[in-house]
Amino acid sequence: MKPNARDRLIESTRQLLWERGYVGTSPTAIQQRSGVGQGSMYHHFDGKPDLVLAAERRSAELMQRQIAEALTGPGTALERIAAYLGRERDALRGCSVGRLTADPEVMADDTLRAPIRETFEVLHHHLRRTIDEGVAAGELAADLDIDETASAIAAVIQGGYALARAAQAVEPFDRAARGVLSLLRASAPRTH
């Protein structure tokens, strides 16, 4: 089934935001990418901010679903964290949600910033719960600060994207992911 005009507008805006940011996502570019005319665009949305918010929400929903699938699936805590860090992603393109934190227009608007904040809260929640399970199972050190570790993993992911984009190579992202996993494994209690 072909997506309707509203869905095409949202997806086109989502892709343009990811590629160009808020300013580069003009109504003309949205219409060209989506194949939807101006009248239809303004029939479905009150204006660019309304459409951008819908696109951000879609990106947030997709990312939140990926987070939940990886971190609540089967396996040990470390296996689930490794699955999340190692999931297929376009490291050179960056995070469709995280990249918006560098966009001044988005960051200046509480409403447009909300889906980004909520997505990182979901990531922190799932990481925290997974790390807590790892500590409870004796897989990770009992004195590991769960909140700080969850924040560090999230920062490694977003920083890994920045490193990969700067180098125009995937290896810096992969190296950062392997590094945080090595640190987590090193925190594991030693059994004799």
Side-chain angles (χ1 to χ4, degrees):
M1 187 168 105
K2 184 177 178 182
N4 64 33
R6 186 177 195 288
D7 283 339
R8 290 196 323 266
L9 285 164
I10 291 170
E11 187 57 27
S12 295
T13 303
R14 191 177 89 76
Q15 295 297 325
L16 286 165
L17 283 170
W18 199 352
E19 295 164 12
R20 303 179 184 181
Y22 188 89
V23 172
T25 301
S26 68
T28 301
I30 295 166
Q31 291 164 27
Q32 288 174 343
R33 172 86 51 110
S34 67
V36 174
Q38 182 176 2
S40 183
M41 183 172 151
Y42 290 105
H43 168 74
H44 292 290
F45 299 97
D46 291 336
K48 180 179 169 180
D50 187 38
L51 178 51
V52 165
L53 182 60
E56 283 186 63
R57 285 184 178 143
R58 179 165 297 166
S59 287
E61 288 167 9
L62 291 168
M63 186 171 165
Q64 290 173 27
R65 187 171 36 241
Q66 292 168 341
I67 291 165
E69 286 171 359
L71 294 173
T72 62
T76 67
L78 272 175
E79 288 169 346
R80 287 179 280 147
I81 292 169
Y84 179 69
L85 290 169
R87 76 171 176 77
E88 189 173 326
R89 62 184 84 208
D90 186 347
L92 295 181
R93 195 167 183 205
C95 175
S96 63
V97 174
R99 283 191 62 179
L100 294 172
T101 63
D103 196 309
E105 287 77 15
V106 172
M107 290 296 96
D109 185 312
D110 289 341
T111 303
L112 294 178
R113 194 173 56 250
I116 300 163
R117 186 190 68 251
E118 291 162 8
T119 299
F120 285 120
E121 287 171 356
V122 166
L123 176 59
H124 186 81
H125 166 78
H126 281 289
L127 284 169
R128 189 182 188 296
R129 194 182 76 230
T130 305
I131 294 162
D132 191 40
E133 290 170 8
V135 169
E139 201 182 341
L140 299 169
D143 62 348
L144 193 66
D145 187 297
I146 294 167
D147 279 321
E148 289 177 1
T149 304
S151 292
I153 293 169
V156 165
I157 294 165
Q158 292 303 312
Y161 282 129
L163 294 171
R165 288 178 54 79
Q168 284 298 290
V170 175
E171 178 53 27
F173 181 94
D174 292 342
R175 195 170 45 241
R178 288 191 308 268
V180 76
L181 284 172
S182 292
L183 291 171
L184 287 172
R185 288 185 184 110
S187 85
R190 301 284 184 242
T191 56
H192 298 297

